[in-house]
Amino acid sequence: MCTAATYQTKDFYMGRTLDYEFSYGEEITITPRYYPFHFKHGAVLEDHYAMIGMAHVAENYPLYYEGANEKGLAMAGLNFVGNAAYGHPMDDKDNIAVYELIPWLLGQCASVADVRKLVKTLNIVDTVFSPQFPNAQLHWLIADANEAITMECMKDGLHIYDNPVGVMTNNPPFDKQLFRLNDYMALSPKQPSNNFSDKLDLGSYSRGMGALGLPGDLSSSSRFVRAAFVKMNALSGNSEVESVNQVFHIMGSVEQQRGCCEVSEGHYEITIYTACMNVSKGIYYYTTYTNHQITAVDMQKENLNGEMLVRYPMLQEEKILIQN
Ligand SMILES: C[C@H](CCC(=O)NCCS(=O)(=O)O)[C@H]1CC[C@H]2[C@@H]3[C@H](O)C[C@@H]4C[C@H](O)CC[C@]4(C)[C@H]3C[C@H](O)[C@]12C
């Protein structure tokens, strides 16, 4: 399971948790403007927008999980197992393999409006990167400071949904996730009043009772409702520290602790890392399961006119500050 959410203060942010039972060996990866992308079905991008994100790098190719470009567009790929369906190459289409989609869009689009135009000729194809890497079944949250969309490629074609919540998890398809929020419209950060019966003397015996009924489990549909409630009600100051801090708190509402989600005998899904991208500035902040220290990599500190990938391994060691 994974969750992604946008957040706006003075700058625009996208957060994501990467939940899985093992790591593929991912690194914070900056792709500068002149790294050549040779896409599997012929398209070439010799120059493009620079981007930063989390990727597994194989054969010097950045297999991105999520990223943001220098123009303020961000996207994240999350599992969509059983519902994602990709096609075969077709004439007169931009045939882009699933694993190529993030660099293809972030490399060329400055906004969600640009994405909407570019995907008109897009055909997401099932071609694999290599036999060692079967394709992931994904869907994507794509957002800029003005709007967010969810993109899902299913048996019946490509769906682009407006995403007014700026939140995405996994199954079921996004229209069903969004509809389910209707069930929770009575939830509130304010204390409830007694609508149950005026014949009963009911009252709040605890703070936080306005959100009683907010689902607390780890299923993707429950995480969607929980992250949506937290994100839509979250308040913070405008500064970088306050904003980043708040994004980590929002993502913390859906994090997974080892032991609570068994995926096979003795194997547990955990939040391997949590990311907060300052999309406006190109800064990638992260924590990992073993390291709560927020660590940052700033794209603008690198030579964005280069041709070589810049890679930073995630720091994994927990550093506890002893105060006495
Ligand atoms: C497992 C990750 C998704 C996490 C997630 O959504 N978990 C939910 C589990 S569940 O559905 O609810 O059961 C996905 C997100 C991005 C994926 C990676 C990226 O797509 C990049 C490459 C693509 C290659 O084809 C496969 C390896 C890979 C390196 C992918 C491995 C894996 O599928 C990743 C890491």
Side-chain angles (χ1 to χ4, degrees), residues 132-169:
Q132 291 84 350
F133 290 111
N135 276 329
Q137 294 186 53
L138 304 173
H139 59 169
W140 297 269
L141 176 65
I142 308 175
D144 61 23
N146 296 317
E147 58 175 324
I149 55 174
T150 290
M151 192 161 122
E152 299 186 331
C153 192
M154 299 172 60
K155 267 200 208 107
D156 59 349
L158 189 66
H159 299 267
I160 308 283
Y161 297 103
D162 290 344
N163 186 332
V165 199
V167 169
M168 201 180 85
T169 61

Side-chain angles (χ1 to χ4, degrees), residues 166-182:
V167 169
M168 201 180 85
T169 61
N170 308 107
N171 284 332
F174 186 72
D175 51 344
K176 295 194 176 65
Q177 293 272 35
L178 199 58
F179 182 79
R180 211 165 153 251
L181 290 183
N182 288 301

Side-chain angles (χ1 to χ4, degrees), residues 210-279:
L212 204 65
L214 186 66
D217 68 277
L218 294 173
S219 68
S220 48
S221 51
S222 293
R223 279 181 292 107
F224 182 79
V225 177
R226 193 158 70 251
F229 180 81
V230 175
K231 181 249 160 109
M232 298 306 280
N233 289 294
L235 294 172
S236 75
N238 262 333
S239 72
E240 182 69 351
V241 169
E242 288 166 301
S243 309
V244 169
N245 175 278
Q246 184 70 326
V247 172
F248 278 99
H249 282 300
I250 296 168
M251 301 320 297
S253 72
V254 283
E255 81 173 12
Q256 303 207 30
Q257 300 80 11
R258 181 177 290 116
C260 296
C261 176
E262 190 175 39
V263 293
S264 59
E265 185 66 37
H267 293 98
Y268 298 92
E269 188 166 289
I270 60 166
T271 299
I272 293 176
Y273 69 83
T274 304
C276 162
M277 298 183 278
N278 179 327
V279 185

Side-chain angles (χ1 to χ4, degrees), residues 1-2 19-20 24 63 65 77 79 133-136 138 170 269:
M1 291 163 271
C2 291
D19 304 335
Y20 215 52
Y24 283 81
L63 293 160
Y65 304 8
N79 264 5
F133 290 111
N135 276 329
L138 304 173
N170 308 107
E269 188 166 289

Side-chain angles (χ1 to χ4, degrees), residues 73-129:
L73 180 72
M75 70 186 279
L78 279 71
N79 264 5
F80 193 41
V81 177
N83 280 304
Y86 311 116
H88 302 296
M90 287 192 286
D91 292 343
D92 305 326
K93 286 276 187 188
D94 290 319
N95 297 303
I96 298 298
V98 191
Y99 67 84
E100 298 173 327
L101 191 65
I102 292 182
W104 193 70
L105 289 176
L106 292 185
Q108 305 181 82
C109 300
S111 62
V112 171
D114 283 355
V115 172
R116 288 186 195 273
K117 281 183 218 143
L118 198 61
V119 300
K120 289 206 168 105
T121 49
L122 171 65
N123 178 31
I124 304 178
V125 296
D126 214 4
T127 315
V128 296
F129 175 75

Side-chain angles (χ1 to χ4, degrees), residues 288-301:
T288 74
Y289 197 83
T290 55
N291 176 14
H292 283 82
Q293 169 74 56
I294 298 175
T295 308
V297 177
D298 183 348
M299 174 163 86
Q300 298 300 338
K301 290 191 179 159

